[in-house]
Amino acid sequence: MSEEINENEHEEELTNEGEQLESLQEETITKVTGMYKEWFLDYASYVILERAVPSLEDGLKPVQRRIMHSMKDLDDGRYNKVANIVGHTMQYHPHGDASIADAMVQIGQKELLIDMQGNWGNILTGDRAAASRYIEARLSKFALDVVFNPKTTDWKMSYDGRRKEPIDLPVKFPLLLAQGAEGIAVGLSTKILPHNFIELIDASIKYLKGRSFKIIPDFLTGGIADFTNYSDGKRGGKVRVRAKIAQLDKKTLVINEIPFSTTTTSLIDSILKANDKGKIKIKKIEDNTAAEVEILVHLPPNVSPDKSIDALYAFTNCETSISPLACTIENNTPVFVGVSEMLKHSTDLTVELLKKELEIQLNELEEQWHFSSLERIFIENRIYRDIEEEETWEGVIEAIDKGLKPFIKHLKRAITVEDITRLTEIRIKKISKFDIDKAKQFIEGLEDKIAVVKDYLAKLIEYAIDYFKRLKDTYGKGKERKTEIRIFDDIVASKVAMNNAKLYVNREEGFIGTSLKRDEFVTDCSDIDDVIIFRKDGNMMVTKVDSKTFVGKDIIYIAIFKKKDKRTVYNFMYKDGVKGASYMKRFNVTSVTRDKEYDLANGNKGSKVLYFSANLNGEAEVVTINLRAVGSVKKLKWDIDFADLAVKGRAVRGNTITKYTIKSVDFKSEGVSTLKPRKIWFDDAVQRLNVDERGELLGEFRAEDKLLIITQSGKAKAVKPDVAMHFEDDMIVLEKWKSNKPISAIYFDGEKERYYVKRFLIETSEKEEEFISEHPKSKLEIIATDYRPIAEVQYSKRSLENQTVNFEEFIAVKGIKAQGNQLTTEKIKNVNLLESLPFDEPEEKKVEEVEVIDEEIIEEKLPIDVPTIEKSSTIEIEDKEAKKKALLKKAIEKKKENTDDDTQQSLF
């Protein structure tokens, strides 16, 4: 019996424990859900509102606002240790000292609100600031002028309830846009780029005047930037920033400015990494950065500086892309607005704050006028004597009030007990020395001030505009734009990548790759290049460089493929199938689908290539056709000139060579390029050459033609045009070079301190030469590239008349290093080019544009059953158009004669 009871008790205990466990599990799950729903959202809201995202009102994050407030508390005009400021800030900011010190350094490095002393780090090199106990700071004059005003500040209690701190500082300037902001919260981030101080003020003035405006970022690190897709700083926008790279000499590049968000250290690391991967080739790097950036990139021999500059932009941090995201806090809520809306809001807020300040100032002046008037009445009418008999305070108040009543009709408000109380506090010494005239003058001065303030309030917008102009005049010096605005051209990585691999081929087995080192070497290449392959069966394909790739057996040609290359022309002969006729065509390959096979024959089985050549400049060679001696074939051998054939698409069938079997095709002689001269344009926006009709047309260029480039620093050179070329910022002449056309110049020789005139020709092309002296004070006044230029010289002395200089009569053409003839020792005010004298320029020899006899076109004009035509050796017509007509006429005549088809030969 007892055992049964014990068992039942044990079962009850298990049941109770299970119920408690289930209950505990239910409670735990409920608590976790509650934690996720409430605690997580509370934490996320706290991070967004109190740590990471700045306020739209004053442009500051909470830690920044508390730092500024603490600095104002401690401000006595002298520097304070940053450690002391950090400690004081901890009274308002409930976080550690390290985060406060870091935030303060970031504010200081923006060079706007804090006057720094000591080592505050370097935004160019990325060096950190010294410890907070070693550096000092105080508020800048700008911050004291713009950021603080206790009378217009709304306050709240600090986190521990012991002190008051500002909800928002009364900032009368678009501070958020000037400093920029970056922060990552929980599920939210912001990235507001810094803008130029002067441009922001100008934009605010335009907005107040009702005019449109546009603002774009400006970075303290300088550099050049493309803001085409800035999109007003909203989500989805993009800014491309580049380092400023110049060519110091043929073997050295110098980086003088770096992109925003990078440092010289990170930039150099990225260059070294790209060099290790073989994307670029450099010899060594020198970092001479101190107050200004100077990174020297030394290039190995036979490496193009222009191509190296593009490669630095393509493969290193010399070009970075920034995605702005304008997110701020407004009314305790994150909002996404553009920078234009931010500026409008800040400007409207500035107007409101200025209005509040004027209203407070007006109220203070009116109160001062009111009490000064009471004081004058009180003393001038000796009302203070009326209180001598009074024994109680109430009696004193009443006596003074009664004594003032006859004299207060002109007052602007009623008298209060506080006013009377202040009158009783006037000292006897002041009463005894009271000067009525001075009192009147003082009150009149107050009335003038009141009138001025009222006028400001009546013309509030004009007052705000004057306020912004004062800020610009007072603090704008040294804050000019540092980042150069430019539109970038896209750099194709494959065109600028340095050769870091070697390409090999096994023609018989059909393998290509960089690992086939025992097979035939093709060329040096980059690991991002594409390769074009032609096979004996008439198929072509393009594939990416890899270690080993199968592309098909019997490879007849392999090379690096250049997309959109219209200069490379392929001369192609093939037999169509086993029993088909033979055809020829010329084509280029501009774009293809990678790893797709293209049949260049008609697609019939058994087709094979009879002759193939790749010509990088469109050359058309002459070949000899050899037929097999079969049947009634009379002519077994003749020559074909590829120049007689037009360049068409790769998919065309081509022109018929013959229907008989070709024994062989032999190369006979080289040809000339059949391509027309290439037109080249210069796009000033991106400072680049192009063949896409963008910008100014420089002319038509053949292979031997060159560009003339002259800079303001007195350097000239004639070089072959290349779309990858870079140009100096001081370039003043860019035109097609004519070797016989003299260059005329007037320059000041710094060593001899006098002006000279010279005329010269470029003696050595592809070499940059200086044509003025190297003295630091030497400078080029004017340059002319006409045959017979005329210039007008204006002297600084008014007594001297303007002088006209005929360069042709003044001096003969001499060497580029010649000093020239002395013009004057007087100071020249200005030199202007006048209209040049007429000159009959010698006509250039026009190269005959090759027109092609296209058999397919002829056949279209003839009846369907017209046989092919034998190429007659007796027809010797130089005029291509006449030759075409003669062939057409002969074909019609042969058609009429009904000659037997077996005796007919093809056109060639």
Side-chain angles (χ1 to χ4, degrees):
M1 184 71 179
S2 61
E3 289 178 359
E4 290 178 1
I5 292 173
N6 291 337
E7 286 177 1
N8 291 336
E9 287 178 355
H10 182 62
E11 288 177 2
E12 288 178 4
E13 287 177 1
L14 290 174
T15 303
N16 292 336
E17 286 179 2
E19 291 175 356
Q20 289 174 3
L21 183 59
E22 288 179 5
S23 176
L24 184 63
Q25 287 176 345
E26 289 177 3
E27 288 177 1
T28 304
I29 293 171
T30 302
K31 286 182 179 180
V32 168
T33 306
M35 183 192 305
Y36 179 76
K37 286 183 177 179
E38 297 176 12
W39 294 2
F40 177 77
L41 291 178
D42 289 345
Y43 171 70
S45 301
Y46 170 75
V47 173
I48 292 170
L49 300 177
E50 296 295 328
R51 293 182 69 175
V53 184
S55 168
L56 184 59
E57 301 300 313
D58 60 6
L60 298 171
K61 297 179 183 180
V63 64
Q64 296 171 332
R65 187 180 302 113
R66 288 160 181 161
I67 290 170
M68 298 304 294
H69 177 59
S70 296
M71 293 186 71
K72 181 63 176 174
D73 281 348
L74 298 172
D75 182 57
D76 58 0
R78 298 181 297 176
Y79 289 99
N80 286 290
K81 287 284 187 183
V82 169
N84 292 339
I85 298 173
V86 170
H88 194 273
T89 306
M90 292 180 72
Q91 298 178 93
Y92 304 101
H93 194 63
H95 294 283
D97 59 337
S99 61
I100 298 172
D102 290 342
M104 189 171 177
V105 169
Q106 289 177 7
I107 298 173
Q109 288 178 342
K110 291 171 182 176
E111 300 179 0
L112 193 61
L113 299 179
I114 297 178
D115 186 1
M116 302 170 287
Q117 186 166 279
N119 177 16
W120 281 67
N122 191 328
I123 60 172
L124 301 177
T125 62
D127 294 337
R128 292 180 58 83
S132 56
R133 61 185 177 274
Y134 297 123
I135 56 178
E136 297 178 331
R138 65 182 177 188
L139 291 171
S140 67
K141 292 181 180 179
F142 173 78
L144 291 169
D145 190 357
V146 169
V147 176
F148 304 100
N149 190 338
K151 297 175 182 177
T152 58
T153 303
D154 295 325
W155 303 87
K156 66 178 181 180
M157 299 304 295
S158 62
Y159 71 95
D160 60 0
R162 288 188 172 92
R163 290 169 182 79
K164 288 183 179 180
E165 63 173 309
I167 297 174
D168 288 303
L169 289 171
V171 179
K172 302 185 292 295
F173 177 79
L175 185 63
L176 178 56
L177 295 175
Q179 291 196 131
E182 187 172 357
I184 300 175
V186 180
L188 188 70
S189 66
T190 184
K191 193 177 187 69
I192 301 169
L193 302 182
H195 294 69
N196 182 261
F197 181 90
I198 297 173
E199 291 175 5
L200 289 175
I201 292 177
D202 291 339
S204 293
I205 293 173
K206 286 181 181 178
Y207 171 63
L208 292 173
K209 289 182 177 179
R211 292 159 54 189
S212 61
F213 66 90
K214 183 180 180 181
I215 53 175
I216 52 179
D218 184 30
F219 310 117
L220 288 176
T221 54
I224 53 180
D226 185 347
F227 300 106
T228 306
N229 299 317
Y230 183 47
S231 301
D232 205 38
K234 296 179 181 177
R235 189 201 309 261
K238 186 178 180 181
V239 175
R240 295 168 63 190
V241 191
R242 286 181 177 176
K244 189 168 283 189
I245 309 175
Q247 184 178 334
L248 194 62
D249 54 49
K250 290 184 178 181
K251 296 182 180 179
T252 312
L253 303 177
V254 58
I255 302 174
N256 293 318
E257 296 177 10
I258 61 176
F260 178 70
S261 76
T262 65
T263 63
T264 55
T265 303
S266 64
L267 194 68
I268 290 172
D269 288 344
S270 70
I271 295 173
L272 294 175
K273 189 178 293 184
N275 181 64
D276 292 340
K277 291 182 177 180
K279 303 295 185 184
I280 62 175
K281 287 184 179 179
I282 63 170
K283 189 176 180 181
K284 66 175 181 176
I285 294 181
E286 289 183 50
D287 186 7
N288 300 328
T289 303
E292 296 181 354
V293 173
E294 185 181 83
I295 301 173
L296 299 179
V297 181
H298 298 274
L299 305 176
N302 302 321
V303 173
S304 165
D306 287 325
K307 187 175 180 180
S308 296
I309 291 174
D310 282 344
L312 287 171
Y313 288 142
F315 301 113
T316 73
N317 289 346
C318 287
E319 178 179 332
T320 60
S321 178
I322 304 170
S323 299
L325 178 59
C327 176
T328 63
I329 301 299
E330 184 179 16
N331 299 325
N332 286 328
T333 305
V335 292
F336 295 90
V337 295
V339 294
S340 297
E341 288 301 317
M342 287 185 190
L343 183 99
K344 291 178 181 179
H345 182 89
S346 173
T347 306
D348 291 337
L349 180 63
T350 298
V351 173
E352 287 298 316
L353 289 171
L354 290 173
K355 182 181 178 182
K356 280 185 181 180
E357 290 179 354
L358 288 172
E359 288 173 346
I360 292 170
Q361 185 181 354
L362 178 62
N363 184 59
E364 290 175 348
L365 288 171
E366 288 180 340
E367 285 297 311
Q368 195 175 0
W369 178 89
H370 177 77
F371 185 73
S372 297
S373 299
L374 281 179
E375 186 180 64
R376 177 188 166 192
I377 295 169
F378 183 73
I379 298 174
E380 188 177 353
N381 296 286
R382 299 184 178 181
I383 297 174
Y384 53 85
R385 289 185 175 181
D386 297 345
I387 64 175
E388 293 177 354
E389 303 296 329
E390 299 296 332
E391 297 181 355
T392 62
W393 177 251
E394 288 77 8
V396 171
I397 298 296
E398 188 176 348
I400 295 173
D401 187 36
K402 185 178 179 181
L404 292 173
K405 280 183 179 180
F407 309 102
I408 61 173
K409 293 179 181 180
H410 69 288
L411 295 181
K412 297 178 182 179
R413 68 172 177 84
I415 300 172
T416 62
V417 176
E418 288 78 10
D419 295 335
I420 297 173
T421 303
R422 286 184 64 187
L423 290 174
T424 61
E425 295 173 354
I426 299 174
R427 295 182 179 182
I428 299 298
K429 185 177 180 180
K430 185 175 183 180
I431 294 173
S432 64
K433 291 185 177 182
F434 186 75
D435 189 328
I436 295 176
D437 292 334
K438 285 185 177 180
K440 286 182 179 180
Q441 290 176 2
F442 181 72
I443 292 172
E444 288 172 358
L446 289 175
E447 289 173 350
D448 292 340
K449 291 180 180 178
I450 289 171
V452 170
V453 173
K454 285 184 176 179
D455 184 60
Y456 287 157
L457 283 169
K459 302 176 181 178
L460 187 60
I461 299 301
E462 289 81 355
Y463 176 75
I465 291 172
D466 291 338
Y467 168 80
F468 279 113
K469 287 181 178 178
R470 180 183 67 81
L471 288 182
K472 181 179 177 179
D473 294 339
T474 308
Y475 306 108
K477 187 177 180 180
K479 290 184 170 60
E480 293 78 13
R481 169 167 283 277
K482 291 181 172 59
T483 301
E484 181 183 344
I485 303 168
R486 191 181 294 178
I487 299 173
F488 295 162
D489 58 331
D490 293 325
I491 297 174
V492 181
S494 60
K495 290 185 178 180
V496 298
M498 299 298 174
N499 294 333
N500 58 356
K502 294 183 181 295
L503 181 65
Y504 301 89
V505 61
N506 187 321
R507 296 178 183 271
E508 294 181 1
E509 296 184 5
F511 285 97
I512 67 169
T514 57
S515 63
L516 308 176
K517 297 182 179 181
R518 295 183 179 180
D519 294 308
E520 178 187 344
F521 171 73
V522 179
T523 182
D524 292 320
C525 65
S526 167
D527 55 6
I528 62 172
D529 280 338
D530 288 316
V531 183
I532 187 168
I533 303 103
F534 292 85
R535 298 202 309 262
K536 195 171 183 179
D537 59 3
N539 285 310
M540 177 201 78
M541 72 179 296
V542 173
T543 188
K544 198 171 183 63
V545 169
D546 206 342
S547 58
K548 187 177 182 180
T549 305
F550 179 74
V551 295
K553 295 183 178 181
D554 297 325
I555 298 171
I556 59 173
Y557 179 78
I558 177 173
I560 300 301
F561 176 66
K562 297 179 180 179
K563 192 176 180 182
K564 298 181 181 179
D565 180 14
K566 295 181 179 180
R567 305 293 295 181
T568 299
V569 177
Y570 301 101
N571 297 335
F572 192 77
M573 291 182 174
Y574 69 96
K575 182 177 177 58
D576 182 21
V578 178
K579 298 182 179 180
S582 298
Y583 300 90
M584 64 182 293
K585 59 183 176 179
R586 302 181 73 208
F587 60 91
N588 48 36
V589 181
T590 55
S591 61
V592 293
T593 302
R594 187 181 287 141
D595 296 326
K596 176 183 176 181
E597 286 196 356
Y598 292 87
D599 191 349
L600 303 176
N602 287 335
N604 295 321
K605 189 176 181 181
S607 297
K608 66 176 181 177
V609 178
L610 301 173
Y611 180 84
F612 177 87
S613 68
N615 306 278
L616 300 181
N617 199 34
E619 292 85 0
E621 65 269 23
V622 178
V623 297
T624 301
I625 304 296
N626 298 295
L627 298 184
R628 292 187 183 276
V630 178
S632 60
V633 178
K634 297 178 180 178
K635 192 170 185 179
L636 300 177
K637 183 178 180 180
W638 68 91
D639 295 338
I640 290 181
D641 189 350
F642 274 100
D644 293 333
L645 203 63
V647 178
K648 296 185 177 181
R650 63 172 181 270
V652 299
R653 184 185 66 178
N655 289 10
T656 306
I657 304 172
T658 180
K659 62 182 180 181
Y660 299 107
T661 303
I662 294 177
K663 180 181 179 182
S664 65
V665 180
D666 300 329
F667 175 83
K668 182 176 182 181
S669 64
E670 294 182 355
V672 296
S673 175
T674 59
L675 301 180
K676 293 181 180 180
R678 184 168 56 170
K679 291 184 178 180
I680 296 180
W681 285 261
F682 177 70
D683 190 343
D684 186 61
V686 298
Q687 294 283 299
R688 284 297 186 92
L689 301 177
N690 68 88
V691 293
D692 305 320
E693 301 185 13
R694 290 184 283 107
E696 177 188 357
L697 178 63
L698 298 178
E700 296 184 351
F701 289 78
R702 301 185 185 91
E704 66 274 10
D705 291 334
K706 293 180 174 62
L707 272 176
L708 173 63
I709 302 172
I710 303 177
T711 64
Q712 185 64 49
S713 58
K715 297 176 181 178
K717 61 181 176 180
V719 295
K720 288 185 178 180
D722 187 348
V723 292
M725 290 177 65
H726 288 258
F727 299 93
E728 299 293 336
D729 293 336
D730 65 341
M731 179 182 66
I732 54 176
V733 174
L734 178 66
E735 62 182 41
K736 187 176 179 180
W737 179 54
K738 297 178 180 178
S739 59
N740 63 334
K741 188 163 75 167
I743 299 168
S744 308
I746 297 177
Y747 73 97
F748 177 75
D749 190 304
E751 183 179 356
K752 297 187 177 180
E753 296 186 348
R754 57 193 64 192
Y755 292 89
Y756 289 89
V757 178
K758 67 183 297 183
R759 298 177 75 212
F760 60 93
L761 297 172
I762 300 291
E763 299 167 354
T764 308
S765 63
E766 302 295 336
K767 179 183 178 182
E768 186 174 70
E769 294 184 273
E770 293 188 5
F771 58 87
I772 66 174
S773 63
E774 298 180 358
H775 194 277
K777 291 185 179 180
S778 296
K779 65 175 181 177
L780 178 65
E781 289 292 335
I782 204 161
I783 194 83
T785 57
D786 290 337
Y787 283 96
R788 304 176 68 193
I790 304 291
E792 182 187 46
V793 179
Q794 298 176 354
Y795 292 99
S796 299
K797 284 184 180 180
R798 295 184 180 180
S799 59
L800 296 175
E801 294 183 357
N802 295 350
Q803 179 182 354
T804 300
V805 178
N806 184 332
F807 287 90
E808 186 179 29
E809 296 177 353
F810 197 91
I811 185 173
V813 176
K814 299 182 179 180
I816 193 171
K817 293 298 183 181
Q819 188 176 57
N821 291 356
Q822 180 179 315
L823 175 64
T824 182
T825 57
E826 299 289 342
K827 287 187 177 180
I828 291 178
K829 181 181 179 181
N830 197 13
V831 182
N832 298 315
L833 282 177
L834 303 179
E835 185 177 353
S836 300
L837 296 176
F839 180 79
D840 294 330
E841 189 171 348
E843 292 186 3
E844 294 184 12
K845 293 182 180 179
K846 292 185 178 180
V847 178
E848 183 181 0
E849 294 180 1
V850 176
E851 289 186 12
V852 178
I853 302 171
D854 193 333
E855 182 179 319
E856 291 179 347
I857 295 176
I858 294 175
E859 289 179 354
E860 287 176 3
K861 292 182 179 179
L862 296 175
I864 297 175
D865 58 344
V866 174
T868 56
I869 309 165
E870 181 180 359
K871 184 176 180 181
S872 174
S873 60
T874 61
I875 297 178
E876 295 181 356
I877 303 174
E878 295 297 329
D879 185 359
K880 299 293 182 180
E881 191 65 32
K883 187 176 180 181
K884 183 175 179 180
K885 291 178 181 178
L887 287 170
L888 181 60
K889 184 178 180 181
K890 187 173 181 180
I892 295 172
E893 290 175 354
K894 287 200 173 186
K895 172 64 178 175
K896 290 178 180 179
E897 293 174 0
N898 295 320
T899 307
D900 185 55
D901 289 348
D902 293 337
T903 63
Q904 301 300 314
Q905 302 295 324
S906 65
L907 177 62
F908 298 107

